[in-house]
Amino acid sequence: MENINIIYEDNHLLVVEKKPNIPVQQDSSKDLDMLTILKKYLKEKYNKPGNVYLGLVHRLDRPVGGIMVFAKTSKAASRLSDQIRKGEIKKYYLAVVNGTLKKEKEILENYIYKDEKTGNSKIVDKDYTNSKYAKLEYEVLEENKKENLSLVKILLHTGRHHQIRLQFSNIGNSLYGDQRYGKQDKKQIALWAYKLEFKHPTQDEILCLECKPQQKGIWEKFNI
């Protein structure tokens, strides 16, 4: 429990760092997940009897690390979910991608279809049945010519399945370590949720919270 990085906590919110390769909630692997870890943390910290409420309002793919907000009350969960539906929560990511990008800044817009049978998604035409609009904007922060890699900052406008991974693979700059849509090398994917901006669910205040990856592994090749 002492290894949990608590970024922000009050009566309504719990904002933490999710380590890479930990599921957000229990899945078929039965591996320890964030919801279970954090409910135990709250139960022990506040000496709460019975079940502890903790609302899951957004997700990160299992291999991806970074900042997540959880709701400690149903009121907070409802209001945060409403902000997400309206696109009012700003989610920023850092990613290391293969190669050099053609444009230093760009908005990527596509339509994405998720195949429920395979768990994979693909970029399709607008008229493709059950496709969903996807939008992000990126900015190149640094290039590592020696390694042929680039560090990019991403503002995610829509949260589609595997969206960031797909959209960068589509322009020829797949994410470093992306074994599904990129090179088939077994490395940790270099995608990190590093900043959230949202309105506090019960106060007239905008929270801007950050959690950057540690300078190790692929990240130490850049000045983060």
Side-chain angles (χ1 to χ4, degrees):
M1 303 303 293
E2 65 274 8
N3 292 328
I4 302 172
N5 180 13
I6 306 295
I7 298 163
Y8 178 92
E9 183 179 1
D10 63 17
N11 291 336
H12 293 275
L13 301 174
L14 181 60
V15 183
V16 302
E17 174 188 351
K18 183 184 97 66
K19 304 290 187 185
N21 302 315
I22 297 178
V24 171
Q25 61 185 142
Q26 192 175 79
D27 59 19
S28 58
S29 71
K30 305 297 183 186
D31 292 340
L32 193 59
D33 61 279
M34 289 301 297
L35 272 177
T36 300
I37 293 167
L38 295 176
K39 283 182 179 181
K40 184 179 179 184
Y41 158 79
L42 293 172
K43 191 177 180 70
E44 292 181 0
K45 181 176 180 179
Y46 299 103
N47 196 24
K48 290 193 172 189
N51 291 327
V52 173
Y53 177 83
L54 191 64
L56 176 63
V57 295
H58 70 117
R59 301 170 188 275
L60 288 177
D61 289 347
R62 179 168 179 157
V64 180
I67 191 168
M68 288 193 71
V69 57
F70 294 83
K72 291 170 66 175
T73 63
S74 57
K75 178 189 285 187
S78 175
R79 292 181 179 178
L80 287 172
S81 295
D82 191 49
Q83 287 185 55
I84 288 175
R85 278 194 299 273
K86 293 177 179 177
E88 295 172 348
I89 294 184
K90 292 184 178 180
K91 301 175 184 178
Y92 294 87
Y93 291 76
L94 293 172
V96 177
V97 303
N98 291 297
T100 301
L101 291 106
K102 293 176 182 177
K103 296 182 180 179
E104 187 176 325
K105 294 181 181 180
E106 190 174 13
I107 294 174
L108 301 181
E109 296 177 284
N110 300 100
Y111 284 83
I112 289 176
Y113 169 77
K114 180 184 178 183
D115 187 329
E116 298 292 346
K117 292 181 180 178
T118 65
N120 287 340
S121 289
K122 61 182 179 180
I123 288 177
V124 295
D125 293 333
K126 180 180 180 179
D127 298 329
Y128 198 94
T129 304
N130 295 326
S131 64
K132 293 183 178 180
Y133 174 70
K135 178 182 177 181
L136 64 77
E137 54 186 289
Y138 74 79
E139 177 183 356
V140 178
L141 299 179
E142 190 179 345
E143 293 178 352
N144 186 323
K145 298 290 188 181
K146 182 179 178 182
E147 303 282 347
N148 194 29
L149 298 170
S150 300
L151 175 69
V152 297
K153 177 176 75 172
I154 300 158
L155 171 58
L156 191 64
H157 289 278
T158 57
R160 306 307 182 200
H161 183 252
H162 293 166
Q163 177 182 337
I164 295 174
R165 299 161 68 176
L166 266 174
Q167 289 191 289
F168 278 94
S169 178
N170 186 57
I171 61 171
N173 300 101
S174 61
L175 269 60
Y176 177 91
D178 187 351
Q179 299 169 35
R180 194 177 294 224
Y181 304 106
K183 298 180 179 179
Q184 301 301 310
D185 48 3
K186 293 189 176 181
K187 295 171 182 170
Q188 177 63 45
I189 192 168
L191 180 59
W192 187 272
Y194 88 95
K195 184 164 72 170
L196 286 173
E197 286 184 30
F198 58 94
K199 184 178 180 181
H200 192 284
T202 63
Q203 302 170 19
D204 188 19
E205 177 186 7
I206 300 296
L207 296 177
C208 182
L209 304 168
E210 289 192 16
C211 171
K212 292 182 179 179
Q214 294 182 14
Q215 289 283 125
K216 63 181 184 181
I218 193 63
W219 301 107
E220 68 183 357
K221 297 183 183 295
F222 297 93
N223 297 312
I224 297 175

